[in-house]
Each structure stands twice: as C-alpha cells, then as structure tokens.
Amino acid sequence: MDKVKAELRVSERRACAALRQPRSTQRKPARGRDDEAALTADIVELAKAYGRYGYRRITALLRHAGWVVNAKRVQRIWRADKFTQSAQQRDCEGLKVPQKHPKRGRLWLNDGSCVRPRAERPNHVWSYDFVADRTQDGRKFRMLCLIDEFTREALAIQVKRRLNATDVLETLADLMILRGTPAYVRSDNGPEFIAVALREWIAAVGSKTAYIEPGSPWENGACESFNSNLRDELLNGELFFSPAEAQAMIEAWRRHFNAVRPHSSLGYRSPAPETIIPCGGNIAPWASAPAVGAARPPTPTMASEPAMH
C-alpha cells in the first residue's frame, strides 16, 4: 500500500478505495502468536505421520500432546497460503487428504422397513466381516475383523491365507473367554458365518446371531466403516511380503486404532486408551514416523490445584 501511494502520489483514502481494501488494515499491523511456528511444525509432523487424518483428528492429537488449541485455529493453519500454493507442495507438506470415492446408494428392504438390534452398552453387539488383500507376490490373504459396535473397539483382526468357519469359531471363543459373551453377533450371510457348527456353538454359549438382509451391507455399517478405515489408513499404503508381516503390522495398527486414534463418533476420543498421556508427552504412531514434540506450547494445559483453607 505504501508503495502504491508513493508511486501514484495519492492519499491513503483514495488508494484504499481504488484497491477496495478497508482502511483499517493500514492502522493495525497483523501479529501472529508466539507459538505459531511451533504449532505449525507439530501440525506438519502429525500430518506426515497420519496422512489420512483431517484437521479435526489432528486437533485431537495436538490436545493429547499438550496443546491448548481449537479446531478453528488448526483449520486456519491447515488452509494457509503456504500450504496451498500448489498441489505438489501441499503433497510434500503432507496436508492433502485425497478425496474418497462417492458412496453408493443404500439398498433397502422391499417394504422399506429395517429391524435390527442396536448396541446399547459395551459387549452388547459384536460384528465381524472379512477383508481381502494381496501380498507382494500377488497371493491373496484374508482378515477377519471383529469389533464392538458400542465402543467401536477393534477386538481382533485375524490374518491368514485362508479362513473358514473353524477359524471364526476359535476367534470368537478366545475373545469370549477374555471379555465375556455378547448378546448378539452380527454378520452377513457368508458361508463361514452361517455354518451349522458355528450357529449351534453361538447358541450354546448364550448369544444370538443377527444376520443382515442379503444385499444390504449397510445394515452392518459399523463393521463396514471399520473395514474402510483399515483399507484407507493401512492396506492401501503398505506392501506386505508375507502373512506374518501383515499380521504384525495390522496388529500394531489395531492397537493404535483402539488406544490413540480419535473417533468422531466418540467425540474425538479413542475407544480404549491404555494410559493418560501427560502434558508434553509424545504420541507414538503405529508406523515408523517422526514423533511430535519439537516445541511445547507456552500455555499450561491444567490449572494449578487450589489451596485448601
């Protein structure tokens, strides 16, 4: 603005009117916060470690690390000019989250009705489904994913080249010994899930099967959402050389999913946090990536304990 006034030799009022700029911008210079650079560095590090997370989940991870920051400030930094100058630079910064494919329309019952048990408490409804992937040599392997629909906790992910009804029964038996018997077990109508031996065993232990309608995968929405996150955050970005390597990495991701990853359906809290992360502690990602903590916020995260009189 000063350069324009000097070259054109006009007043500030006329220069602002010509550029359609408020005159108040010439009165008070913009000042950033003292911790802006440190916060930006931590946002970039988290975005590089968790490339599929948006600014809301990054905000939750920053709060767990000790920052006192809201989502609006993180969004402003996320969309800053230096992060959006070009698509290539934004990819290098790690802040670009590619768009997912559009969702397909739901398949409803013929009469438009939907009767299914909804999870009302932990250990009420379990759901499981299969996910398939390939190793580096092109051979397929399968994953049996089992979750608790109420807490959204991933109870188990079994990885093998082939999985049958016996493997499903053994996985359920091991979990029921540790966690107790659920009221319902939800699944689709795959041959491994409708096997007579499996259904009789589930009924014998006191649970009930809750099969979805054929051609209606949305009725098992919690498990389908988990499968989508598993593929989006891990399977699409990793190359496995053997089922044993896949089992180790998937189990590490499952622990991160339960203990660290913020869930939007839970108010950006994790389903089963192992410990409370103290102020200033680092967040260890499930994969090998730089830890956050290069700088610490100057604002304390907890008020001092009041004195008793």
Side-chain angles (χ1 to χ4, degrees):
M1 180 62 69
D2 295 336
K3 184 178 181 180
V4 173
K5 293 189 297 181
E7 292 180 356
L8 300 180
R9 297 181 180 179
V10 296
S11 64
E12 180 183 287
R13 185 187 301 273
R14 295 189 62 182
C16 289
L19 297 176
R20 295 182 180 180
Q21 184 177 2
R23 295 180 61 197
S24 59
T25 58
Q26 307 303 314
R27 300 290 189 271
K28 183 179 180 181
R31 294 185 305 172
R33 300 190 183 182
D34 297 336
D35 58 348
E36 192 82 1
L39 178 59
T40 302
D42 282 359
I43 290 175
V44 172
E45 291 298 324
L46 284 172
K48 289 180 179 179
Y50 310 107
R52 293 296 307 180
Y53 287 5
Y55 73 91
R56 291 185 178 89
R57 282 199 174 91
I58 296 298
T59 302
L61 293 177
L62 288 170
R63 290 172 179 171
H64 293 166
W67 282 97
V68 180
V69 63
N70 57 15
K72 292 182 180 180
R73 186 183 177 191
V74 176
Q75 184 186 24
R76 177 180 57 79
I77 298 176
W78 196 273
R79 297 180 177 180
D81 293 338
K82 60 182 177 180
F83 292 149
T84 58
Q85 290 178 0
S86 63
Q88 182 179 3
Q89 180 180 359
R90 187 167 51 185
D91 291 341
C92 295
E93 296 288 356
L95 299 181
K96 181 181 179 182
V97 180
Q99 296 293 330
K100 294 184 179 180
H101 295 289
K103 297 182 179 179
R104 291 178 292 180
R106 290 181 173 178
L107 300 177
W108 301 87
L109 302 183
N110 293 332
D111 57 355
S113 63
C114 177
V115 179
R116 57 172 180 159
R118 295 184 178 273
E120 299 177 354
R121 61 185 182 277
N123 219 34
H124 184 207
V125 179
W126 289 1
S127 62
Y128 50 17
D129 196 5
F130 285 114
V131 179
D133 202 4
R134 294 178 182 269
T135 51
Q136 188 269 343
D137 55 5
R139 298 176 59 190
K140 289 185 178 180
F141 67 90
R142 303 183 76 189
M143 292 157 279
L144 175 63
C145 304
L146 196 151
I147 68 170
D148 188 319
E149 289 193 4
F150 185 83
T151 62
R152 305 301 176 92
E153 181 181 1
L155 304 178
I157 304 179
Q158 185 70 23
V159 180
K160 283 187 178 181
R161 289 289 186 187
R162 296 178 181 178
L163 290 168
N164 52 29
T166 303
D167 298 315
V168 176
L169 192 151
E170 292 177 353
T171 303
L172 285 176
D174 293 341
L175 286 175
M176 289 183 184
I177 292 174
L178 296 175
R179 297 176 175 267
T181 304
Y184 296 93
V185 180
R186 194 195 313 275
S187 68
D188 56 22
N189 296 272
E192 299 86 357
F193 302 135
I194 63 174
V196 176
L198 179 61
R199 289 186 295 173
E200 292 179 350
W201 182 85
I202 292 176
V205 298
S207 297
K208 298 180 181 179
T209 57
Y211 295 111
I212 65 175
E213 290 292 328
S216 300
W218 61 270
E219 292 189 12
N220 196 10
C223 197
E224 293 291 342
S225 176
F226 174 82
N227 296 344
S228 176
N229 291 328
L230 172 62
R231 187 171 298 280
D232 183 50
E233 298 177 9
L234 177 65
L235 300 182
N236 289 346
E238 294 292 341
L239 182 63
F240 307 112
F241 290 90
S242 65
E245 180 186 8
Q247 177 71 78
M249 296 193 66
I250 291 172
E251 178 62 20
W253 180 87
R254 185 188 71 87
R255 294 178 179 273
H256 165 83
F257 183 89
N258 292 334
V260 178
R261 183 185 186 274
H263 289 244
S264 58
S265 59
L266 302 177
Y268 290 97
R269 296 188 298 268
S270 53
E274 295 179 355
T275 57
I276 299 176
I277 302 177
C279 176
N282 294 339
I283 299 178
W286 62 269
S288 57
V292 176
R296 295 290 162 239
T299 307
T301 58
M302 184 178 298
S304 59
E305 184 176 357
M308 301 297 294
H309 299 286

